[in-house]
Amino acid sequence: MTTGDERRVERLRPTPMLVTAVAVLAVSIAVYAANFTVRHSPVVWGWLPGVAGFAAAAWACRQAAVAPGLNEVTRRVWRSLAVVCVLILFGAAGDARFAVLHPGRLDQRHDVPTSICYLLAMLVLLWALLRVPMGGRARQDRIVVRFLLDAATMSITVGIFAWYLSVEVVNATASDGPPVAPMVLLTALGLVGSLAFAKVALSGFGGVDRISLRLLAAGAAVGSTGDGLFALLFDPRPGMSGAQISLPATVLFVALAADRQRRAAGAPQPERRRRSFSIVPYLAVAATDALLLVVSGTAGGAVLTVALAAVLLTALVVVRQVRALRENGRLLGRVDASLVELNSYQHRLTHRASHDGLTDLANRTLFEQQTREALAEAGAGTPLSLALIDLDDFKAINDRLGHAVGDALLVVVAQRLREAVREDDAVARLGGDEFGLLLRGLRSGEATEVLDRIAESLTRPVHALGYDLLVKASIGLAEAWPEASPQELLRRADLAMYAAKERGKGRHAVYDARLEQDQAADAQLGAELRQALDNGDFTLVYQPIVALPGGEWTSLETLIRWKHAEHGFIGPDVFIPIAERTGLIVPLGDWILRTALRQAAEWQDVFGTGAPGEIGVNVSARQLREPGFAADVRAALADSGFDPEKLVVEVTETAVFDGGVALDTLQSLVTLGVKVALDDFGTGHSSLGLLRTCPADTLKVDKSFVDGIGGRSEEAVIATAMIQITNGLHLQAIAEGVETAAQADTLYRLGYRFAQGYHFSRPLSPQQVNERLEAARVLPV
């Protein structure tokens, strides 16, 4: 039955070599037939086809050796076969020489040089085939031992048959008969060569095409036995030999084998079927038993009876042994199948232990191993860069759309990462939404081109379970250096990745020494932040928001201050980002909220309607993403007794631009009655769509648009556009950073009715607020 692998081999077509081999055989048969009864041509003509044919066979083997798609073992075998063909060519030429010198002889003898050529040919053949690798040292040794035993069995069988036929049938004991020993030796060696071809074909190793090996085995058998068979079938004629036909026939088999190897080069070998035993010893026993019966038949009587009993007993033993070997073969087959299944299971377990189950990328363990190996190469002078990739706002996708959508997104991102890197680079999923890249042979400057390619691939929408999602990633890159360790290289890439996040989403950063210094400073300041929070070193100040044009207070914005024991006052722009990175913004923000609410409630109790109408508290993006933040606000309002409708939560555009959990949290706060103000509007994403999705009540126009508002500047145009937008959307607009009366007047003319800035008041301590409220209190007449 033809397998799928065999169908890939080109079909057999006539080639010049095959046509030549067929022509050589046809000519040899024609010459032999023409001279069979009466010689019509010189004796040498009968040998010329064989000589010419083996010259062509040597060329065919040489061409097969250089065919594309072969491994070195297969090329070596075919080069050796070319040498074998050349040696047989010399042997055939020696036979032709002997026939010319002795035209009247009835037998064809091999002189010493000719016998040496044939003997060398068989030895080279055996040497080439026994060097073919057959699956490991132990297996190779077992195959060689079995081959030698089969070869000895075959040689003994051939020897006894040749001796008997020579003595009893051909009457080779006559003084002019052919010598028995050389004929027996060469016939045995030829059959041993055929056996060697068969053994290599059955082993399934080495890369030599198995059909080619079977053709070569058939050719070796024909070439070694043809002369003897002709001597048995036909009466000897002067100058005639069976080798004159068997040698050209062998050439045809060699040509077919070489053509098959050329056509099968590079094609997968069909699966080899295991044989439970070798049939060679049993064929030898059967042949010898048959000869024993023939010889015993001439003796008759007791000799024939004993011979029959011995043959019957041998047959029973052979049948019993064959059945046992077949049963063992079936058991071995089941064992092999179990071993294959076990190996496959072990491979799956090994793969599962070193790869991510969702994306099939390398996991952290394998990635660290690959990094260690790559660093060993980098130590030899090969550049190496490592990148860490963290998907921005992936948690929001999981929370809003579910983990199934998040998993589908990770699978697509993993595929795009594979496509964006080179074949020698390594891609891994390190956990969650974090990926790692090993970029071999690239320094950091060159690796950034790969990162740009990755960023570009992620800009295309990702289709995940019916959702089209936009993905951004923060990427940190670190270049290896002498004596680098995998852990330190990963740490540097991680540090660069967080630096990229600080600069905004969808960016990448390269590690340098300044990041190390910044991290050390951040770590020190972060520790001091924790201590300051515990020690109560933070204070709150309040900046009034006023009505235009009169400047009456309408509300207060809460601001935090930190007076460091050594460094004095540290601005919020310095310590708030550190608090966000370290997570301290959560307890710090809770302290700010509760303190401001208690203070506002106290002012309400003391001053009544004279107290500020609203209190504003800044909330960071980290707080909005914190689970239960809305519940914490509700608890703080309840504890302070402050009216939720008088609390304004101020958030930046960036904190809520991507929606997700932050936007859901704001919706929950609005449900409580809390108002929302978009702070520093115009400096972030400035998306008009945000005004439609974010439940904001107030728009606070950033100071940068107020500074240059005089005259016909671009800032004035933007400020005008913003007031028109807020009026159209029924939002309250507050101009921040007003520092002069001229700015206040201009803003009022543009339509602004609320403002905030140093022109009206600097941030005030609670005591200063008390004094201002006390001074503004209206006493009854």
Side-chain angles (χ1 to χ4, degrees), residues 280-593:
V280 172
Y282 301 105
L283 291 177
V285 169
T288 305
D289 282 351
L291 180 61
L292 177 62
L293 291 176
V294 172
V295 173
S296 302
T298 60
V303 175
L304 179 60
T305 302
V306 172
L308 285 170
V311 170
L312 180 61
L313 184 61
T314 302
L316 291 174
V317 171
V318 167
V319 170
R320 182 181 182 281
Q321 189 174 21
V322 167
R323 288 180 60 85
L325 289 173
R326 283 182 173 174
E327 181 62 28
N328 290 340
R330 284 193 292 270
L331 291 174
L332 286 175
R334 288 197 287 268
V335 170
D336 284 349
S338 300
L339 288 175
V340 169
E341 184 177 355
L342 178 60
N343 288 336
S344 176
Y345 180 68
Q346 289 176 336
H347 175 74
R348 291 196 300 270
L349 283 180
T350 303
H351 185 83
R352 189 177 302 172
S354 60
H355 287 74
D356 175 57
L358 177 65
T359 62
D360 203 38
L361 295 177
N363 60 16
R364 180 178 288 274
T365 301
L366 179 57
F367 187 69
E368 290 181 354
Q369 177 184 338
Q370 292 172 331
T371 303
R372 190 174 296 105
E373 294 170 354
L375 284 173
E377 299 175 5
T382 303
L384 174 69
S385 293
L386 186 148
L388 285 185
I389 303 172
D390 187 83
L391 302 185
D392 296 324
D393 299 323
F394 176 74
K395 185 177 182 299
I397 294 175
N398 266 345
D399 293 341
R400 295 187 66 194
L401 304 179
H403 290 277
V405 175
D407 289 347
L409 171 65
L410 291 175
V411 171
V412 176
V413 169
Q415 182 59 35
R416 292 190 183 179
L417 291 178
R418 287 193 192 98
E419 295 170 353
V421 300
R422 302 163 303 167
E423 185 176 352
D424 292 339
D425 297 330
V427 185
R429 183 187 176 204
L430 306 183
D433 60 339
E434 190 175 60
F435 296 85
L437 299 180
L438 270 183
L439 305 175
R440 293 180 172 87
L442 296 181
R443 302 195 180 277
S444 57
E446 302 165 320
T448 54
E449 298 179 5
V450 179
L451 303 188
D452 290 336
R453 193 160 61 244
I454 291 173
E456 189 277 331
S457 71
L458 295 179
T459 58
R460 303 193 306 272
V462 174
H463 187 73
L465 298 184
Y467 294 92
D468 288 323
L469 305 173
L470 294 177
V471 183
K472 291 183 180 180
S474 298
I475 308 176
L477 181 68
E479 182 179 336
W481 67 98
E483 309 302 329
S485 67
Q487 294 76 18
E488 179 60 18
L489 186 59
L490 279 166
R491 189 194 68 82
R492 292 190 175 188
D494 190 61
L495 186 60
M497 186 262 290
Y498 278 105
K501 279 189 176 294
E502 292 173 17
R503 298 171 188 173
K505 299 174 183 178
R507 299 174 183 267
H508 64 258
V510 180
Y511 172 87
D512 59 29
R514 289 175 299 178
L515 293 180
E516 208 74 66
Q517 297 169 359
D518 293 343
Q519 186 198 38
D522 286 358
Q524 177 66 28
L525 199 58
E528 294 174 353
L529 268 174
R530 177 78 262 182
Q531 186 177 2
L533 183 60
D534 294 338
N535 295 340
D537 293 340
F538 292 103
T539 59
L540 297 183
V541 294
Y542 304 88
Q543 187 172 31
I545 297 173
V546 303
L548 295 178
E552 298 84 7
W553 286 12
T554 61
S555 60
L556 296 174
E557 178 183 0
T558 305
L559 303 172
I560 187 170
R561 295 292 183 263
W562 179 21
K563 186 176 182 181
H564 193 277
E566 296 179 3
H567 305 297
F569 281 103
I570 299 178
D573 59 324
V574 175
F575 68 82
I576 290 297
I578 297 175
E580 290 182 340
R581 288 196 296 271
T582 58
L584 283 174
I585 192 64
V586 176
L588 181 60
D590 185 68
W591 177 83
I592 293 172
L593 175 66

Side-chain angles (χ1 to χ4, degrees), residues 662-721:
L663 198 55
D664 293 341
T665 301
L666 287 183
Q667 294 287 1
S668 299
L669 293 178
V670 171
T671 303
L672 296 177
V674 176
K675 296 179 180 178
V676 176
L678 283 178
D679 198 13
D680 300 329
F681 190 80
T683 59
H685 294 283
S686 299
S687 169
L688 296 180
L690 181 63
L691 299 178
R692 185 168 50 85
T693 59
C694 180
D697 303 282
T698 302
L699 215 61
K700 300 187 74 173
V701 180
D702 188 69
K703 180 180 183 298
S704 61
F705 298 107
V706 175
D707 287 341
I709 203 170
R712 304 179 64 180
S713 63
E714 294 178 355
E715 288 82 356
V717 175
I718 296 174
T720 302

Side-chain angles (χ1 to χ4, degrees), residues 155-166:
S155 299
I156 292 172
T157 303
V158 171
I160 192 66
F161 266 83
W163 174 82
Y164 178 77
L165 292 175
S166 299

Side-chain angles (χ1 to χ4, degrees), residues 191-347:
L191 291 175
V192 168
S194 177
L195 176 64
F197 280 122
K199 283 290 184 183
V200 174
L202 291 174
S203 72
F205 294 96
V208 185
D209 180 71
R210 288 202 284 274
I211 295 179
S212 296
L213 289 170
R214 291 167 187 163
L215 290 169
L216 292 170
V222 168
S224 59
T225 60
D227 195 12
L229 290 175
F230 270 82
L232 291 175
L233 297 175
F234 305 108
D235 293 333
R237 301 283 195 280
M240 305 290 288
S241 171
Q244 293 172 347
I245 295 179
S246 63
L247 288 180
T250 301
V251 168
L252 178 59
F253 280 108
V254 173
L256 288 170
D259 181 75
R260 165 70 190 191
Q261 181 67 79
R262 180 190 59 79
R263 290 183 290 111
Q269 289 285 335
E271 185 178 355
R272 182 178 63 92
R273 296 180 60 185
R274 175 185 290 273
R275 297 184 60 176
S276 56
F277 59 90
S278 172
I279 64 172
V280 172
Y282 301 105
L283 291 177
V285 169
T288 305
D289 282 351
L291 180 61
L292 177 62
L293 291 176
V294 172
V295 173
S296 302
T298 60
V303 175
L304 179 60
T305 302
V306 172
L308 285 170
V311 170
L312 180 61
L313 184 61
T314 302
L316 291 174
V317 171
V318 167
V319 170
R320 182 181 182 281
Q321 189 174 21
V322 167
R323 288 180 60 85
L325 289 173
R326 283 182 173 174
E327 181 62 28
N328 290 340
R330 284 193 292 270
L331 291 174
L332 286 175
R334 288 197 287 268
V335 170
D336 284 349
S338 300
L339 288 175
V340 169
E341 184 177 355
L342 178 60
N343 288 336
S344 176
Y345 180 68
Q346 289 176 336
H347 175 74

Side-chain angles (χ1 to χ4, degrees), residues 61-86:
C61 292
R62 183 64 184 175
Q63 290 300 106
V66 297
L70 300 181
N71 59 33
E72 184 55 34
V73 172
T74 306
R75 296 184 189 281
R76 185 179 65 206
V77 169
W78 284 101
R79 287 195 295 266
S80 300
L81 290 177
V83 174
V84 170
C85 289
V86 171

